[in-house]
Amino acid sequence: DAGVIQSPRHEVTEMGQEVTLRCKPISGHDYLFWYRQTMMRGLELLIYFNNNVPIDDSGMPEDRFSAKMPNASFSTLKIQPSEPRDSAVYFCASSSGTAQYGYTFGSGTRLTVV
Amino acid sequence: AQSVTQPDIHITVSEGASLELRCNYSYGATPYLFWYVQSPGQGLQLLLKYFSGDTLVQGIKGFEAEFKRSQSSFNLRKPSVHWSDAAEYFCAVLSGGYNKLIFGAGTRLAVHP
């Protein structure tokens, strides 16, 4: 298995632009998680899905952020409009069953908003 | 709310020396605990996990961790550190109905030759 695949690896965008981050989970995994990593706040869970349904989005910072999972093999995290404070590394992770067996993380997308 | 604390932000050890990274958790019941490692520019990789049973857990890359309920700790150890172990290490606890991993702030490990 190729693992959790995220694209792009790096994204540089101007403030106010829309940004879309993509994630392909491991085939057969029914949970998908989006995390954000910054120096100041560490690793924060933004949202997670179970069987393509959003379960907990309490970590989404504000309405500018949205996430979708149209099918079991694809998820997006969108920021519109982007702001410099959104600069971070965004990780996608997936797991089979509950998270007690641990997540498998993707390599992340480094987002820079200038 | 469940949480984990990693008291050490940075640790530097010499290659070949032993290592212990500290993790303290806050959780009402028996916690599910994890250690992950993140190499520069990479995602997080699971080192080991504890659910129940034997309090000494073996993981990959020669790491082990010991669960101590009396101290609310889950410290990570390695008897002899290699230069390739230089990375950031995260302790995590399972929360939210066993669906959410809550991470500590991480400990950055530097290894001197």
Side-chain angles (χ1 to χ4, degrees), chain A residues 35-44 89, chain B residues 90 103-106:
Chain A
Y35 278 83
R36 178 172 67 176
Q37 186 179 36
T38 61
M39 290 292 293
M40 292 298 295
R41 301 176 67 91
L43 276 159
E44 303 173 276
V89 180
Chain B
F90 293 91
F103 288 88

Side-chain angles (χ1 to χ4, degrees), chain A residues 75-92:
Chain A
S75 177
T76 60
L77 178 68
K78 185 177 294 186
I79 308 172
Q80 166 63 20
S82 57
E83 297 182 3
R85 59 194 170 116
D86 300 330
S87 298
V89 180
Y90 291 81
F91 287 103
C92 175

Side-chain angles (χ1 to χ4, degrees), chain B residues 4-7 21-25 33-35 71-76 90-92:
Chain B
V4 290
T5 302
Q6 295 180 248
L21 302 182
R22 296 184 291 164
C23 172
N24 294 100
Y25 67 89
L33 294 161
F34 303 78
W35 275 99
Q71 299 177 18
S72 297
S73 69
F74 187 57
N75 294 349
L76 182 71
F90 293 91
C91 183

